[in-house]
Amino acid sequence: MTRNLLARAVVSVALVGLAVAGCSEKTPGGATAGSTTTSEESSPRTTSSAAAGNALENFDACAELKAVSGQFGLSEIEEEPGDSCSARWGQTTSTVQIKTRPTQGISEVALGEHAQPSDIKIGKHEAKRVKAVLSKTDCLVAVAVTAKSRVDFTGSSTASADEACEAARSLATAVEPKLPA
């Protein structure tokens, strides 16, 4: 039964990630071959948006989850596609996720049918809390880094949206000092 609850929680976090993704920006034009030269130093987290001055280029979601794992009893920390990392929240059926959004501000958070958004502040950063962002037992805390970038802290629970919101808010509060000002 615990395995079933954990599987539902992981699926909920994945669905929340898809729901809050919103629309992405696309640049018109065709693809062309790039340079074939390589350098000896390269960063595995560098992306094309980093070259354009991405405020989140040095932020590592998994490193931050690992840094606070002892504080919250996080386990099963896993890197996910798209600069995202998830973990099990303590001895609960809740899961949490941190996802960077280098090209989407908090005004671009996608809201589901039952979403209950509210503007909040996390440390020095403006944020938006969205209770029941996708399902009735999940929560998103989107923290603004710039007008066009944010970091999403998602909680998903099989118990309640309140439990998910508490996990997402606590995680956001713990990691917020590491976000660019």
Side-chain angles (χ1 to χ4, degrees), residues 6-18:
L6 182 58
R8 287 188 355 213
V10 169
V11 169
S12 294
V13 168
L15 290 174
V16 168
L18 291 173

Side-chain angles (χ1 to χ4, degrees), residues 86-105:
S86 65
R88 182 171 176 205
W89 184 260
Q91 297 301 312
T92 69
T93 59
S94 297
T95 57
V96 291
Q97 179 187 54
I98 299 175
K99 180 164 182 61
T100 60
R101 302 228 180 246
T103 61
Q104 295 176 327

Side-chain angles (χ1 to χ4, degrees), residues 9 49 51 71 73 84 103 105 107 110 112 120 123 138 167:
S49 58
Q71 182 178 348
S84 178
T103 61
S107 64
I120 62 172
D138 61 12

Side-chain angles (χ1 to χ4, degrees), residues 31-82:
T32 58
S35 169
T36 57
T37 62
T38 61
S39 69
E40 290 181 27
E41 291 184 33
S42 66
S43 170
R45 292 266 180 202
T46 303
T47 63
S48 60
S49 58
N54 173 8
L56 293 169
E57 68 185 314
N58 294 320
F59 182 81
D60 183 335
C62 281
E64 297 308 326
L65 262 181
K66 289 174 185 173
V68 299
S69 64
Q71 182 178 348
F72 299 114
L74 301 179
S75 62
E76 302 175 29
I77 299 172
E78 294 183 24
E79 187 169 355
E80 297 178 352

Side-chain angles (χ1 to χ4, degrees), residues 106 116-131 139-144 151 153 165-166 168-173 176:
I106 61 172
Q116 301 167 31
S118 58
D119 293 330
I120 62 172
K121 194 151 179 105
I122 299 290
K124 298 177 184 175
H125 291 83
E126 296 299 319
K128 182 177 294 283
R129 184 191 86 158
V130 185
K131 187 175 181 180
C139 188
L140 167 73
V141 175
V143 179
V151 176
F153 298 87
C165 282
E166 179 57 27
R169 187 201 53 75
S170 295
L171 182 60
T173 300
E176 183 272 339

